[in-house]
Amino acid sequence: MNAPRTILALMLVLALSIPAAAQAIAVLIDALDLDEMASLELPGLGKWLEEGAVGLMNCRTAGRSNPTNGALSLGTGARARTGTLGGWSFNEGERTEGAVVGELARQVMGLVPPPGSIIHLALSQTITANQGLGYEVEVGLLGAALRERGIRTWTIGNGDTPGSYLRPGVLVAMDGSGLVLGGDVGRALLIRDDPAWPYGWRTDYEALAGKLREGLAEADFIVVYLGDLARLESYRDLFLPERLAAFRRLALIHIDAFLSELWEMALDRDALVTILAPSPPAESAGRNHLLTPIVVHSPKHRGLLSSPTTRREGLVTNMDFAPTVLDWFGLPVPSFIPGGPMISTPHREPLEVLRQMWTRIRATYDQRLTILKNYVIIQIPIYLVVVLLLWMKRIPSSSVLVFKTLLLSLMAVPLVLLLLAVQEELTITAAVLVLGSLGLGALAARMSRGKGFVFLSLLTAGAIAWDLLTGSTRLGNSLLGYDPIVGARFYGIGNEYMGVFISSVLVGITGLFDLFPSLGKARNMIGFAVGAGAIFLLASPRLGANVGGTMAAVVSLGWLWWQLRGKPLTWRGGLLILVSLILILLVAFWIDSREKGSPSHLGRTAWLISSQGPGALLQIARRKIMFNLRLMRYTYWTRALVTSVGVLVFLSINPPARVQRIDGRHPYLALGVRAAIIAGAAALVCNDSGVVAAATALIPVVPTLLYLAILDH
């Protein structure tokens, strides 16, 4: 072998693995709004949009949605937060509170900043603020990874106002010691005597552009902070609305001119340019509308952005920023980072698609609480009145018809919510939901004895399964589905529909066995096949991707299948179910590990266990318990769970004759109901939001029992 040629070839491969003259530029524009951005004539931004990729970025952090929390989350690749001094970053030669920053850093941090560097003085407070979150946050992760490979970092610009410091760009680019090697975040980049601007302070874009040219000649990764919109937001309460809107338009015109200049600077460079808003306007943050615009320009980004984290076109997260930068420079992405490198899909009108998506997502988020809270409230009196009716010797036929319809309508709500397209007006959405649910309930109530609940259960389970197999588009947009603004889940099946799905399968299939005794010996085979299919849908990383749901399904369906064999569950049967669960999770993890991009929830859980040992299980269990305890105090689903459990307990302790006869007349359904209760209990234990999963798991159960009981009159 010719050693010199081999070495030369290896060096060539390594050189080609990083883009030629690789540079990355991140332009941070806090308080940028998508609708405002799309409605104004902004030719500078338009160039980046035309040639790049655009998306909505989930900017949720571990604390309030503000510039410093948003920037730190970008730099750590995780939802992070700063303390009260998050904006305390300074040029090494700057003075603050009468002290020279370099000397102050030596005194309080034991660090001597290199000449021309920038230091985050509140590093200790920032690190402390991210302890005890239940997941790993490595402050300075991105900057440290770049510096370790010799990639020089810069940051320029600030959002200072008289009496306060705001330098979020440093939080993105700094390393683990709080250092950025170059740039300028001082007030020399500000105009501080503009009589037309509030307090006279605004960005000096000419000075900023000059500093950027200097940075492009010296640095590889540059973070530019444009602080004018953030300044205006800090004064929001002083402005009349029309004055704030006028100043925001003026600020955007200045920003757009700078982006035009940046276009000319970067035109001949093979650079990754990202323009994004780490945090939304204060008004949007107050309404919890935590999706902000992001534009990515590079040779490989065109159209609509997405990422392995979201698996949805047009949607990414702030946790995807650091992996994207690392990937651009050919560096490995740490396994504990939840995000993955952003990718794109070509599209003719990506901005218009985003505006429509944002309108739908906002409407869904704004209407979710009102619709679901009232659904829970309506359940309570209906259940209680029917329970009282069960003690009557004879229930009037008119009451039977009314409450049959109401109970089956309650069962139909998850199905209607899955099929319903959320309207911009809450009243229209609510009207369609009520009419659709009552219509399905009335249709099911007209079916002959016992068929109504079977029809609704199987139809609901079938619709959920079909949507999982065809991309989860309805699950991801339903009022009962997961929310891209909350950002707990972006794909697969959420805990709300997971509970409904498992119980609908259990109630539907066992009810079918009672209706068709001729199935006879085929029951075991049918039960096994349906159960295996349901578990596959929940466990598959590319379909349901719900670990807690998989565990609940295996336990409940395993118990049911054992009962269908006509044998009591022994310790051997319990061991078989446990072994089956472990094998299913191992297979799902193996499939997940072979997928490109970031792993699903199962993959991240497995990584924690492999890297931290069995103690990670205790950490996960503690997090789930604490989250559920906190959730019980605040979520409306607690009322639904308490009411449903209360009805079941009452009917079990002192059941009226009508309820006692259900076991004899519907023996298989009785097994299905017990299995669904087991599923709800398992979902409560195995999920972060187990309260929600347990409550929705009982939606098909309680109406079915009450429906069958009032039929016996």
Side-chain angles (χ1 to χ4, degrees), residues 307-309 311 338-341 542 592-600:
S307 78
T309 315
R311 304 181 189 179
R542 302 304 299 178
D592 197 27
S593 66
R594 297 175 67 85
E595 292 285 347
K596 295 181 179 180
S598 65
S600 69

Side-chain angles (χ1 to χ4, degrees), residues 416 429-441:
V416 176
T429 302
V432 174
L433 173 61
V434 170
L435 292 174
S437 300
L438 286 173
L440 274 174

Side-chain angles (χ1 to χ4, degrees), residues 568-592:
L569 184 64
T570 62
W571 69 269
R572 289 186 178 85
L575 182 62
L576 178 61
I577 292 173
L578 178 61
V579 171
S580 299
L581 174 59
I582 293 172
L583 289 175
I584 289 168
L585 292 178
L586 286 174
V587 170
F589 170 67
W590 178 79
I591 295 172
D592 197 27

Side-chain angles (χ1 to χ4, degrees), residues 63-83:
R64 295 175 58 194
S65 183
N66 61 37
T68 56
N69 288 347
L72 186 66
S73 298
L74 294 173
T76 60
R79 288 172 180 157
R81 62 190 178 193
T82 63

